[in-house]
Amino acid sequence: MRIDPETFDFLKNIAENNNREWFQANKHLHDKARENVIEFAGELIRQMHLVDPQVDADLDPKKCVLRIYRDIRFSPNKTPYKNNFGVSLPTTGSKPGGAEYYFQIQPGRSFIGGGYWMPETPHLKKIRQEIDYNAGELKHIIDEPEFKKLFGEFRKQEQLKTAPREYNADNENADLLKLKSFIGWHQINDKELTKSGAVEYLVKVCSKLYPLNVFLRNAIA
């Protein structure tokens, strides 16, 4: 299973012609590209369930592929369409946007990621508490050489300028406690996605994110 080159062609075109007139005249191209992504997502779900059983094998791939329509109500950018396809794979007990895996298809900017992006306050407090109690487990995950090779330096995500007020500034894990998000992401060359075996490649990358999602799920349980 792979992403068709025509799917990338559509995304390049929508980026250059981001208006309703062009979209309506070429909606058949969108529908074909979206169907390709849905089929890809279906196979990704099946294989990810084998790596992380908390990815429900019965997830509906149509519901996992995000809509291409942008919410422009509060955005200064009034272009009506996204120039990417996003695929969200939530894990059992997590709503979309919680501990999950996320795949984005965008010419020159495709990536696969996982973790928990910008947790809401109750979950953020629980994650920080787990870090305070059990930082060694998280460090073992994020400092593993293969993890750093694939996802870079985990500690360099968006963070507070100072330690949260519940913790001392000299806390030995202050760099982790200051984090606002807890994610890893890996950029993927577009050509990799148009080759057979693309799903297997993504699943292999996600297998390195699986321990992070387990840590986060346990923290907020």
Side-chain angles (χ1 to χ4, degrees), residues 133-151:
Y133 291 165
N134 195 18
E137 181 179 346
L138 180 59
K139 290 178 180 178
H140 179 74
I141 296 167
I142 65 175
D143 292 334
E144 197 267 327
E146 186 66 15
F147 187 98
K148 296 183 78 168
K149 179 180 178 181
L150 287 170
F151 311 114

Side-chain angles (χ1 to χ4, degrees), residues 12 14 22-23 29 31 34 48 50 54 56 63 83 88 91 101 111 141-142 157 169 174 191 193 200 204 207 211:
K12 291 174 183 176
I14 195 66
W22 185 91
F23 185 83
L29 298 177
D31 294 347
R34 180 177 170 82
M48 276 302 303
L50 301 177
Q54 297 301 308
D56 189 346
K63 295 181 179 179
N83 56 3
S88 173
T91 57
Y101 303 91
F111 69 88
I141 296 167
I142 65 175
Q157 301 177 64
K191 291 183 179 180
L193 295 176
E200 290 78 6
K204 183 178 179 181
S207 70

